[in-house]
Amino acid sequence: MSQSKLITMDEFTIQETRKFPQATGDLSALLRDIGLAGKIINKQVRKAGLVDILGKHGATNVQGEEQMKLDIFANETLINILKNCTECAGIASEENDNHISYEDTFSVNSKYVVLFDPLDGSSNIDVNAPIGTIFAIYRRVSELGKSCTEADFLQPGNRLMAAGYVIYGSSTMMVYATKLGVNGFTLEPSIGEFCLSHPNMKCPENGKIYSINQGNSVKYDDGMLGYLSYCMESNKEDGRPYSQRYIGSMVADMHRTLIKGGIFIYPADKSSPKGKLRLQYECNPMAFIIEAAGGKAVCGTKNILDIMPTELHQRVPIFIGSKNMVNKVMEFVKEKETVG
Ligand code: AHM
Ligand code: MG
């Protein structure tokens, strides 16, 4: 594609905003700022393999700066960029116990709050596998002009205004969803911009890949084991046995699921009765994206997006991906009382 045909993410979001005459442009600006954080985190992630040359985490480099662990670096980058922009009243991060409200005049008058997992799948850094940043944007429910409150962050996913992720993979991409749909933008390193590469993304209704940490199956209940047997059974009509793929980095597993179809599962098990993944930082944003792309996300029998969160770091089982595959797994698994 020639550079003159490139549409940058900024150009795209501004065009989308123009469809709503009453829109102020704050959401586009917020997405741009999250994209900026993604680019800064990307620059640091791309140096991860050079850590032995540039200095160990925790050590001091030649400029006298302390090398930060990448997940801490990603967290601080997002916190600072969102603090300095004028569209965000506060944040909640998987890395922080409590939400942070920004107290300057612009921020207290901002209508949005952002939740994020700054560097999901960070155990994959050492093996050079994809990792990502996940984010979710709500319109605040607290009074404008005052500090944002925890209630702003404890809204169900069906109230999200936008959600997305940045994947640091073989290329760097930012994918975001609004109620209008899902679009993907690939970082063009020569101009340092995310450019529209995957317009109007749709998750196929059917898929042939199931993605789960099957090594945990000794801890799964009968319903889950029944579904795994179903995936491994032979059936020419629907392409079973399915292939099993599991990177162990939700962003990477979900990016594949969004593009190729399939199902990603992190279930409850005997040692983690609420599952492992976090509702507000991982499951809701991914559920919002996949639903906007025509897929489905449940925690058992209930839609993820309908769960009313009761605490910031709540965990929830998740079954997410191609609509027909999620409907099938629901026939096997029953929702547990653990989900609010
Ligand atoms: P993290 O937020 O500590 O990185 O953990 C979340 C990650 C997900 O990216 C991934 O899907 C899952 O944990 C893998 O967990 P497991 O190793 O138990 O299969
Ligand atoms: Mg995570």
Side-chain angles (χ1 to χ4, degrees), residues 209-227:
I209 298 173
Y210 70 109
S211 186
I212 186 170
N213 187 341
Q214 204 154 344
N216 287 338
S217 56
V218 64
K219 296 187 268 179
Y220 294 157
D221 64 20
D222 290 346
M224 199 57 244
L225 292 173
Y227 181 69

Side-chain angles (χ1 to χ4, degrees), residues 94 117-122 132 134 250 276-278 281-282:
E94 198 189 277
D117 181 352
L119 209 58
D120 184 61
S122 49
I134 310 173
M250 189 191 197
K276 172 185 181 186
L277 299 178
R278 314 278 178 153
Y281 309 106
E282 291 159 333

Side-chain angles (χ1 to χ4, degrees), residues 62-113:
V62 282
Q63 285 89 30
E65 300 156 335
E66 184 162 319
Q67 298 290 299
M68 247 183 265
K69 276 190 77 183
L70 267 179
D71 38 10
I72 308 297
F73 175 85
N75 196 37
E76 295 198 358
T77 300
L78 276 155
I79 291 173
N80 289 331
I81 285 183
L82 293 172
K83 182 173 195 286
N84 292 334
C85 76
T86 55
E87 311 85 28
C88 181
I91 63 97
S93 163
E94 198 189 277
E95 295 283 338
N96 293 57
D97 290 342
N98 301 307
H99 75 274
I100 299 174
S101 88
Y102 301 137
E103 299 298 339
D104 60 283
T105 322
F106 285 117
S107 300
V108 292
N109 284 298
S110 306
K111 53 181 188 259
Y112 296 115
V113 295

Side-chain angles (χ1 to χ4, degrees), residues 174-186:
M174 178 156 162
V175 173
Y176 79 79
T178 62
K179 294 235 159 81
L180 293 177
V182 187
N183 291 280
F185 305 83
T186 302

Side-chain angles (χ1 to χ4, degrees), residues 278-291:
R278 314 278 178 153
L279 175 62
Q280 295 293 77
Y281 309 106
E282 291 159 333
C283 300
N284 263 338
M286 288 300 180
F288 183 84
I289 297 164
I290 220 79
E291 282 208 7

Side-chain angles (χ1 to χ4, degrees), residues 246-315:
Y246 190 72
I247 297 170
S249 170
M250 189 191 197
V251 175
D253 282 314
M254 283 309 304
H255 189 61
R256 182 197 58 244
T257 303
L258 174 61
I259 290 176
K260 290 196 166 176
I263 188 165
F264 172 85
I265 301 174
Y266 209 109
D269 65 38
K270 284 174 194 145
S271 55
S272 315
K274 295 184 178 180
K276 172 185 181 186
L277 299 178
R278 314 278 178 153
L279 175 62
Q280 295 293 77
Y281 309 106
E282 291 159 333
C283 300
N284 263 338
M286 288 300 180
F288 183 84
I289 297 164
I290 220 79
E291 282 208 7
K296 184 164 178 170
V298 301
C299 59
T301 54
K302 190 172 184 174
N303 276 7
I304 292 279
L305 296 179
D306 291 335
I307 299 170
M308 186 66 208
T310 51
E311 50 178 311
L312 270 183
H313 294 274
Q314 184 167 339
R315 295 174 198 271

Side-chain angles (χ1 to χ4, degrees), residues 11 40 106 152 170 182 194 210 301 322:
E11 288 172 321
I40 294 172
F106 285 117
D152 296 322
S170 44
V182 187
F194 287 108
Y210 70 109
T301 54
S322 294

